């Protein structure tokens, strides 16, 4: 990542600068450090060649010469002239490139680094150079930068890096100098880093080097092994040691943790910035480690010369848009730039990618909004098709009951249950059972008795001869719906897959499907389904001639995938409301008041009025002049104390009370910390027995586009095969460990030592990171995926299916087996030597807790971590019947964060009125024959 630090003033620069004069001498002492002026702003000001001391000082002081002559930028305040000096953007070469340049004296590689730095500068000028004029941001297209090349890291290792000292000046179209608004320099920094690595990779490949890229697109010369690079990186080993002291690795730590470790281990930079001062030591070190110059290949160069640049650039843009579009319908320009450069992997220059981006907009494949955010035509078409199909479904089916039949059915149900439905529940049930719409919705707030409503709908519909089935977002949610409503329920993903297979079988048999089939489908937790899955549910409903009711709450957590389909669809189909009047979950006054206040939009007020535990000892002890880093470090220290306090309070509850209590947090890192702290408390109380350490598999967060690229995988990861591939001798469900990544080839090895070399573009894989967990008798666990587990009492029988999210208690642990009892009393056993897809279940993330109900909730709110939002606050508070307690290191900040609106985007947010043209993808409604149409040749759900 390109480093970024502010030069606070010309007299006191950030970090190791103490004054402008000292900084100028450090950088420009009679040419000791190679330097040059870069940027269109430099040329406009007549700054060229080597950076001179006086010219640098003037730039940092804001003394410039523009169309109005020489003057000084800034303002006079309190007798002092105030002007921000500028920023230091540090572009560091990969370690292998530094070795080629500094140890093996490859001047053409040095030139490749310089060209990549120049590409960074040009990219930032085109996209991030701006000023404020008349209260508006104005693009200027020019920056002034003094570039200084350094050769050593703080630890004295070879580390080629270039400081771009960007002065706080840019010239408008009239040649008038203005101060730079630096917001976009920060926003585009990651994209600029991707441009650097793409450009450097391209230049290296043109020189004949073999290269490899990591999952973030950063390049290394392939001949250098990871071990060699680590051996020549004292700094890297220091950071890894600091992480290890915290029980973390680079793979398992957060960016925040790595930053903390980097700052904690940083030494003063006293080594001279000349190659001559280090050359003898570096050469001797390379010889001792057996590190030779990389071998160049003319064949690689010829391949690079034969690449179809336009086709590669176009495909890279397409892949980048698909990657981003899987999670969000709308994305920022800089994010698209970053991903396009990553997917290009140096095969084309950045200008070719820019050309492909422009072509995609001209063709309408990419669509730009007024705010410069982007979406795709496919996303717009999907949303439009959803709306059109829902609109067309009004009155397009048959009613289940007449109003008279509905009244009799309701009377029977309420009489048998001994209670009456609320007015809103009755209205929703009548809409479902007496309406003739193919699609309907129920917007139900948390705790409004949606499953009770469904129980009545099922009984009434089945008594009238209708089939009622359901599907929900997760396995445990589906099981809960089935248990509480009596509706046979599966996951939405499994439902759609099964419908595809059934529809294809009908096509193969030449069957005609009636347009109206007496089948009612319930899609529960519809707000957690992404746009693609939601549209598939609509299409499959039409294919089957059925009806579907979408049931959810637009205020709760949304899908991980892109879109907010359920929320948007409510304006296109009849939708009943289960509102505040129907809430029955909360039983105490303070719990009811908190929910009511949140529903009224008073999230901060609700959080402040709840019982709270606030620990801020480290923050309170800070001096008045504490830096931002000091404040963050103190907040992290206080968060650790908060976790310990929450764990102690939870452990002090009786076992029965714990079973009715949820501990909720925002991030997986904090969830793991809470689980560890709670286990320590339970162990100290003697409630956990002697256990074993096992391996668990944590699913790697890869999009479909990433999963097809070998660079997305790391050595040591476990991959599971998603289908049977006889040619490659890979069985569905088999597990392999990644032994090597080379180009787009993965070398895999299994437990028996057998190896396979595969292209992930052709093999469906799911990647996992292996982590260690201590398991002991008394532990509460939950599964993170569906799978089969061995029955403890009948080990020879087929395995018992355990659901994603289901929980169990560890009863006994041996050297080879872990014996558990599930929540419904089934006894199973696990192989202690095999990696398991499970986690400790004392604490959950808010997203995982949606759909659960308990008596008490303990909410951990770390103000320094997590995307806290109004949705999180609403879900957290509404899980509890009786009590909610907040644990935080800053209650006031937690209250402010609790109302932040973080919503999924929709393509129509930026292009609401655009007329999307082009042929839509084939859909089930177009391709499955009904008794009143001609049908079609095949079945396809694709978007």
């Amino acid at each position: 990542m390109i480093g970024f630090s502010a030069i606070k003033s010309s007299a006191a620069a950030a970090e190791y600068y103490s004054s402008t004069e000292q900084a100028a001498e450090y950088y420009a002492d009679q040419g000791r450090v190679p330097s040059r002026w870069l940027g269109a702003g430099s040329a406009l000001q007549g700054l060229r060649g080597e950076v001179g001391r006086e010219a640098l000082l003037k730039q940092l002081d804001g003394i410039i010469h523009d169309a109005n002559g020489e003057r000084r930028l800034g303002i006079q305040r309190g007798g002092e002239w105030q002007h921000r000096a500028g920023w230091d953007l540090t572009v560091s070469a990969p370690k292998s490139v530094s070795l080629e340049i500094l140890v093996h004296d490859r001047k053409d590689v040095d030139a490749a680094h310089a060209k990549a730095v120049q590409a960074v500068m040009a990219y930032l000028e085109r996209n991030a150079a701006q000023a404020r004029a008349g209260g508006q941001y104005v693009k200027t297209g020019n920056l002034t930068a003094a570039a200084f090349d350094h050769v050593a890291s703080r630890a004295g290792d070879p580390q080629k890096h270039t400081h771009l000292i960007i002065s706080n000046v840019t010239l408008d179209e009239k040649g008038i100098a203005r101060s730079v608004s630096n917001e976009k320099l920060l926003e585009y920094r990651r994209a600029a880093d991707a441009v650097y690595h793409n450009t450097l990779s391209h230049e290296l490949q043109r020189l004949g080097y073999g290269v490899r890229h990591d999952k973030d697109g950063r390049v290394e010369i392939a001949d250098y092994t990871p071990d060699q690079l680590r051996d020549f990186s004292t700094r890297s080993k220091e950071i890894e040691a600091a992480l290890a002291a915290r029980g973390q690795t680079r793979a398992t730590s957060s960016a925040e943790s790595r930053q903390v470790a980097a700052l904690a281990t940083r030494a003063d930079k006293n080594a001279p910035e000349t190659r001559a001062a280090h050359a003898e030591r570096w050469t001797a070190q390379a010889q001792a480690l057996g590190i030779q110059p990389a071998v160049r290949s003319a064949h690689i160069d010829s391949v690079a010369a034969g690449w179809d640049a336009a086709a590669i650039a176009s495909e890279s843009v397409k892949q980048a848009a698909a990657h981003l579009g899987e999670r969000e319908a709308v994305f920022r320009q800089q994010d698209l730039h970053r991903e396009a450069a990553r997917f290009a992997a140096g095969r084309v220059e950045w200008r070719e990618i820019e050309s492909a981006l422009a072509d995609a907009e001209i063709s309408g494949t990419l669509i730009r909004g007024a705010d410069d955010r982007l979406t795709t035509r496919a996303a717009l078409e999907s949303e439009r098709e959803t709306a059109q199909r829902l609109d067309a479904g009004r009155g397009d089916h048959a009613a289940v009951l007449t109003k008279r039949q509905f009244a009799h059915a309701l009377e029977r149900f309420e009489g048998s249950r001994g209670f009456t439905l609320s007015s809103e529940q009755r209205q929703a049930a009548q809409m479902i059972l007496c309406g003739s719409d193919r699609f309907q919705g129920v917007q139900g707030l948390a705790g409004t008795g949606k499953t009770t409503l469904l129980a009545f709908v099922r009984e009434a519909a089945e008594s009238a001869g209708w089939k009622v089935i359901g599907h929900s977002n997760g396995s445990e949610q589906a099981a809960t719906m089935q248990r509480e409503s009596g509706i046979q329920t599966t996951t939405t993903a499994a439902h759609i897959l099964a419908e595809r297979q059934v529809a294809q079988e009908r096509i193969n048999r030449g069957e005609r499907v009636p347009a109206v089939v007496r089948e009612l489908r319930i899609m529960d937790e519809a707000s957690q389904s992404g746009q693609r899955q939601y549209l598939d549910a609509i299409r499959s409903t039409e294919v089957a001639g059925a009806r579907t009711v979408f049931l959810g709450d637009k205020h709760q957590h949304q899908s991980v995938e892109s879109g907010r389909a359920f929320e948007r669809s409510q304006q296109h189909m009849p939708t009943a409301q289960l509102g505040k009047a129907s809430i029955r979950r909360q039983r105490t006054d303070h719990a009811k008041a908190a929910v009511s206040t949140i529903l009224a939009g008073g999230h901060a007020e609700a959080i402040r009025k709840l019982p709270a535990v606030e620990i801020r000892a480290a923050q309170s002890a800070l001096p008045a002049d504490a830096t931002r880093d000091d404040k963050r470090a103190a907040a992290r220290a206080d968060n650790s104390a908060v976790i310990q306090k929450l764990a102690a309070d939870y452990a002090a509850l009786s076992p029965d009370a714990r079973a009715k209590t949820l501990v909720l947090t925002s991030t997986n890192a904090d969830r793991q910390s809470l689980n560890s702290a709670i286990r320590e408390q339970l162990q100290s109380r003697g409630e956990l027995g002697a256990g074993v350490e096992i391996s668990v598999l944590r699913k790697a967060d890869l999009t479909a586009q990433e999963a097809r690229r070998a660079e997305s995988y790391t050595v040591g990861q476990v991959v599971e095969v998603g289908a049977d591939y006889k040619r490659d001798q890979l069985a569905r469900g088999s597990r392999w460990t990644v032994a090597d990544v080379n180009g787009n080839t993965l070398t895999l090895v299994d437990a028996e030592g057998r190896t396979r070399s595969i292209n992930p573009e052709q093999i469906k894989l799911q990647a996992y990171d292996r982590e260690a967990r201590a398991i002991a008798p008394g532990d509460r666990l939950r599964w993170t995926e569906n799978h089969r587990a061995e029955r403890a009492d009948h080990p020879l029988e087929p395995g018992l299916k355990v659901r994603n999210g289901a929980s169990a208690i560890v009863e006994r642990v041996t050297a080879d087996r872990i014996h558990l009892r599930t929540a419904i009393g089934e006894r199973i056993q696990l192989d202690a030597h095999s990696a398991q897809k499970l986690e400790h279940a004392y604490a959950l993330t808010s997203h995982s807790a949606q759909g659960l109900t308990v008596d008490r909730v303990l909410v951990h709110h770390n103000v320094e971590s997590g995307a806290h939002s109004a949705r999180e606050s609403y879900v957290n508070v509404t899980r509890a019947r009786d009590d909610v307690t907040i644990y935080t290191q800053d209650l006031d900040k937690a209250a402010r964060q609790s109302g932040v609106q973080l919503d999924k985007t929709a393509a129509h947010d930026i292009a609401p009125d655009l007329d999307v043209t082009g042929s839509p993808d084939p859909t089930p409604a177009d391709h499955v024959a009904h008794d009143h149409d001609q049908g079609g040749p095949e079945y396809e759900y694709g978007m």
Side-chain angles (χ1 to χ4, degrees):
M1 173 63 71
I2 294 175
F4 186 99
S5 60
I7 301 172
K8 295 181 179 178
S9 73
S10 60
E15 299 183 39
Y16 53 82
Y17 300 16
S18 61
S19 71
T20 303
E21 186 173 353
Q22 184 178 357
E25 289 175 354
Y26 180 81
Y27 283 127
D29 183 12
Q30 300 179 2
R32 179 169 63 89
V33 175
S35 65
R36 60 202 177 278
W37 289 103
L38 292 179
S42 297
L44 291 170
Q45 294 188 73
L47 299 170
R48 294 180 178 85
E50 185 177 325
V51 179
R53 178 179 180 276
E54 291 301 321
L56 174 62
L57 286 173
K58 282 187 175 182
Q59 283 295 308
L60 294 176
D61 276 333
I63 300 172
I64 52 83
H65 191 93
D66 64 4
N68 291 333
E70 185 169 288
R71 61 192 184 92
R72 187 174 186 181
L73 297 176
I75 58 174
Q76 186 95 16
R77 279 183 182 167
E80 292 186 2
W81 194 262
Q82 295 186 358
H83 170 70
R84 178 182 289 175
W87 305 270
D88 179 352
L89 272 67
T90 307
V91 185
S92 297
K95 178 60 69 175
S96 59
V97 173
S98 291
L99 294 178
E100 282 289 285
I101 295 170
L102 301 172
V103 178
H104 302 304
D105 198 25
R106 299 286 200 185
K107 291 182 173 57
D108 48 5
V109 178
D110 201 0
H113 166 75
K115 183 172 181 179
V117 170
Q118 178 65 55
V120 167
M121 193 66 202
Y123 177 79
L124 290 174
E125 287 192 298
R126 284 193 299 275
N127 295 283
Q130 63 175 12
R132 285 183 68 86
Q136 301 293 321
Y137 288 108
V138 178
K139 289 185 176 181
T140 60
N142 66 86
L143 295 168
T144 300
F148 300 94
D149 292 320
H150 287 187
V151 297
S153 70
R154 290 180 179 274
D157 292 323
Q159 182 58 67
K160 177 76 178 187
H161 58 285
T162 301
H163 292 272
L164 293 173
I165 308 303
I166 298 179
S167 60
N168 186 18
V169 57
T170 186
L171 284 77
D172 65 18
E173 59 183 6
K174 297 180 180 179
I176 306 300
R178 298 182 180 277
S179 295
V180 175
S181 289
N182 71 324
E183 297 87 353
K184 287 193 178 295
L185 287 176
L186 284 166
E187 290 177 12
Y188 278 82
R189 180 168 58 129
R190 290 184 65 195
D193 187 69
V195 170
Y196 169 80
H197 280 275
N198 180 76
T199 304
L200 180 61
S201 176
H202 186 74
E203 293 303 307
L204 291 171
Q205 290 176 76
R206 289 185 61 180
L207 290 171
Y209 285 102
V211 299
R212 65 174 181 271
H213 299 85
D214 67 11
K215 63 180 180 180
D216 295 316
R218 297 187 176 95
V219 67
E220 292 281 6
I221 296 173
D223 276 5
Y224 290 89
T225 68
D227 285 341
Q228 288 176 325
L229 300 183
R230 278 193 292 269
D231 288 341
F232 232 122
S233 182
T234 305
R235 182 87 178 102
S236 179
K237 287 184 281 189
E238 288 172 348
I239 294 172
E240 288 171 358
L243 289 170
R246 295 172 169 83
Q248 299 174 318
T249 66
R250 284 187 181 271
T252 62
S253 63
S254 65
E256 179 187 40
S257 295
R258 292 191 293 275
Q259 176 72 3
V260 172
L263 292 173
T265 57
R266 186 175 63 186
D268 291 334
K269 190 172 184 180
N270 297 316
E273 278 294 338
T274 63
R275 287 178 61 178
H278 300 281
E280 185 176 345
R281 175 170 56 84
W282 288 342
T283 300
Q285 188 176 352
Q287 290 175 347
L289 293 170
I291 297 177
Q292 299 295 320
V295 177
R296 304 192 195 197
S297 169
H299 171 67
I300 294 176
D301 190 26
S302 66
V303 170
W307 281 335
D308 185 338
I312 292 170
S314 178
E315 181 63 21
S316 299
V317 170
K318 180 181 177 181
Q319 290 175 324
H323 164 69
L324 292 170
E326 184 173 316
R327 303 292 169 83
E328 282 292 351
V330 175
F331 37 85
R332 302 182 306 171
Q333 172 178 268
Q334 57 265 41
D335 296 330
L336 183 63
H337 290 175
R338 183 185 73 245
E339 298 303 334
R342 175 163 74 112
F343 283 107
R347 293 170 296 163
V348 292
E349 294 186 81
W350 176 248
R351 60 183 176 82
E352 299 285 353
I353 298 174
E354 284 189 320
S355 178
L357 288 163
D359 289 344
E361 286 194 56
I362 292 171
S363 68
T365 303
L366 284 175
I367 297 162
R368 184 181 297 272
D371 58 1
D372 271 349
R373 290 187 300 163
L374 297 154
T375 190
T376 64
R377 179 169 61 191
L380 276 169
E381 288 175 345
S382 177
E383 291 179 7
R384 184 154 298 175
E385 181 185 344
T386 297
Q388 290 171 344
R389 290 182 183 274
L390 292 174
D391 286 333
R394 293 178 183 269
D396 193 42
H397 208 272
V400 177
L401 303 174
T402 66
K403 289 185 178 180
R404 181 186 295 274
Q405 290 170 329
F406 173 82
H408 289 317
L410 179 62
E411 183 179 1
R412 287 195 304 272
F413 178 81
E414 292 180 336
S416 66
R417 298 299 177 99
F419 61 81
T420 60
L421 299 182
S422 70
S423 174
E424 289 178 332
Q425 286 174 319
R426 290 185 176 196
Q427 291 171 12
Q430 183 169 329
M431 177 198 72
I432 295 169
L433 294 169
C434 299
S436 59
D437 309 292
R438 189 178 295 276
F439 304 107
Q440 297 169 327
V442 176
Q443 161 55 39
L445 297 177
T448 51
K450 293 188 282 289
T451 52
T452 302
L453 163 68
L454 293 181
F456 167 55
V457 168
R458 178 189 61 79
E459 288 188 13
E462 288 179 347
S463 68
W466 281 61
K467 179 182 180 181
V468 183
I469 61 173
H471 53 95
S472 190
N473 185 260
S475 299
E476 193 63 11
Q477 293 165 328
T480 299
M481 176 178 165
Q482 181 170 314
R483 183 174 63 251
E484 295 181 356
S485 69
I487 298 172
Q488 188 68 34
T489 308
T490 185
T491 65
T492 297
H495 166 79
I496 290 173
L497 180 61
E499 287 297 303
R500 288 174 175 168
Q501 294 170 343
V502 169
Q504 189 60 59
E505 289 169 3
R506 287 172 179 162
I507 291 290
N508 295 341
R509 295 193 300 266
E511 274 186 24
R512 293 186 175 274
V513 182
V516 175
V517 173
R518 293 161 68 85
E519 180 175 294
L520 183 63
R521 301 175 173 187
I522 309 295
M523 183 179 189
D524 189 30
E525 298 290 356
S527 62
Q528 287 194 313
S529 285
Q531 172 61 37
R532 178 188 293 269
Q533 188 180 65
Y534 198 90
L535 180 54
D536 279 349
I538 291 172
R539 291 168 169 173
S540 66
T541 301
E542 293 177 341
V543 167
R547 286 179 53 187
T548 288
V549 177
F550 298 96
L551 185 70
D553 183 359
K554 63 183 181 182
H555 303 293
Q556 296 192 50
H557 289 303
Q558 297 168 301
S559 171
V560 173
E561 308 302 332
S562 66
R564 53 173 196 275
F566 177 65
E567 182 178 341
R568 282 182 48 81
S569 70
Q570 293 186 28
Q571 54 192 303
H572 296 284
M573 63 184 176
T575 303
Q577 303 290 324
L578 298 181
K580 183 178 175 181
S582 295
I583 294 177
R584 297 290 184 270
R585 179 175 295 164
Q586 282 68 44
R587 300 183 297 206
T588 62
D589 289 341
H590 85 269
K592 291 177 181 178
V595 173
S596 180
T597 304
I598 284 177
L599 289 173
H603 298 80
E605 179 186 353
I607 298 303
R608 288 191 178 99
K609 288 183 177 180
L610 286 170
V613 174
E614 182 185 43
I615 298 177
R616 49 182 308 114
Q619 297 167 91
S620 298
L622 287 171
D625 61 348
T627 66
R628 185 178 182 184
D629 286 339
D630 292 337
K631 292 176 181 178
R632 286 181 170 175
R636 288 191 292 268
D638 284 335
N639 180 59
S640 296
V642 169
I643 287 174
Q644 294 301 321
K645 172 60 176 171
L646 191 157
D649 289 352
Y650 176 81
L653 297 172
S654 68
D656 181 61
R658 280 185 227 138
K660 299 174 183 177
T661 300
L662 268 180
V663 176
L664 299 181
T665 190
S666 181
T667 67
N668 280 317
D670 279 330
R671 175 185 59 79
Q672 290 185 27
S673 296
L674 281 162
N675 279 327
S676 295
I678 289 171
R679 292 191 75 254
E680 288 174 5
Q681 289 287 333
L682 295 176
Q683 284 174 325
S684 69
R685 299 168 68 91
E687 296 190 35
L688 296 182
V692 296
E693 188 174 88
I694 68 168
S695 291
V696 299
L697 298 180
R698 179 172 55 85
K699 185 181 289 186
D701 186 24
L702 301 180
T703 65
Q705 294 297 321
E706 289 176 313
R708 289 193 281 267
R709 303 178 75 240
E711 292 93 338
S712 302
Y713 301 84
T714 57
V715 173
Q717 273 187 325
V718 174
V719 295
E720 195 168 277
V721 182
D724 288 317
Y725 298 93
K726 293 182 180 179
R727 186 190 67 182
D728 297 283
Q729 297 180 297
L730 293 171
R732 178 186 178 92
S734 61
R735 290 182 186 174
W736 302 75
T737 299
V738 178
D740 186 43
V741 180
N742 186 4
N744 207 41
T745 298
L746 293 177
T747 300
L748 308 178
V749 60
D750 68 3
E752 284 73 43
R754 294 172 296 186
T755 62
R756 298 286 185 275
S757 293
I758 67 159
N759 182 340
E761 282 187 323
Q762 301 167 356
I763 306 292
K764 183 179 180 181
L765 299 174
Q766 173 59 59
Y768 298 89
D769 294 308
R770 191 192 300 265
E771 298 177 355
R773 293 290 184 272
I775 304 296
D779 260 326
R780 184 191 300 175
L781 307 176
R782 69 189 292 268
W783 277 275
T784 55
E785 282 190 34
N786 296 340
H787 70 285
R788 294 278 175 181
E790 187 179 316
R791 295 177 183 269
D793 48 351
H794 301 289
L796 298 180
E797 292 185 6
L800 177 72
K801 183 176 182 179
V802 292
R803 299 181 302 273
N804 179 16
S807 61
I809 299 294
V810 178
E811 292 190 317
R812 185 163 56 93
V813 174
T814 67
D816 299 317
R817 287 284 184 269
I818 301 170
H819 299 262
L820 305 101
R821 184 182 72 257
T822 70
I824 57 175
E826 296 165 323
R827 282 183 162 80
I828 58 177
Q829 58 185 13
L830 306 176
D831 182 353
H833 302 297
S834 177
Q836 302 294 333
K837 299 174 185 177
L838 50 77
E839 265 291 0
H840 294 118
Y842 303 105
L844 301 177
T845 62
S846 177
H847 204 282
S848 297
Q850 185 157 313
L852 301 180
T853 303
V854 293
D855 290 351
R856 179 187 292 105
V857 173
L858 308 180
V859 178
H860 169 246
H861 188 120
N862 179 4
V863 297
E864 291 296 310
S865 178
H868 302 293
S869 69
R871 294 181 184 277
E872 179 187 74
S873 303
Y874 174 62
V875 170
N876 288 350
V877 171
T878 55
R879 296 311 91 201
R881 297 185 182 94
D882 301 324
D883 299 304
V884 180
T885 304
I886 307 296
Y887 289 76
T888 184
Q889 76 271 58
D890 189 333
L891 185 59
D892 185 61
K893 190 173 182 179
R896 295 197 306 271
Q897 291 176 340
S898 68
V900 173
Q901 296 297 323
L902 292 178
D903 300 328
K904 301 292 287 188
T905 55
H908 280 75
D909 290 345
I910 65 169
D913 303 315
L914 190 67
D915 180 22
V916 180
T917 58
S919 301
D921 290 340
T923 65
D926 301 322
H927 288 273
V928 177
H930 289 284
D931 57 10
H932 57 276
D933 64 25
Q934 297 302 308
E938 62 179 355
Y939 171 82
E940 184 178 2
Y941 270 106
M943 286 170 49

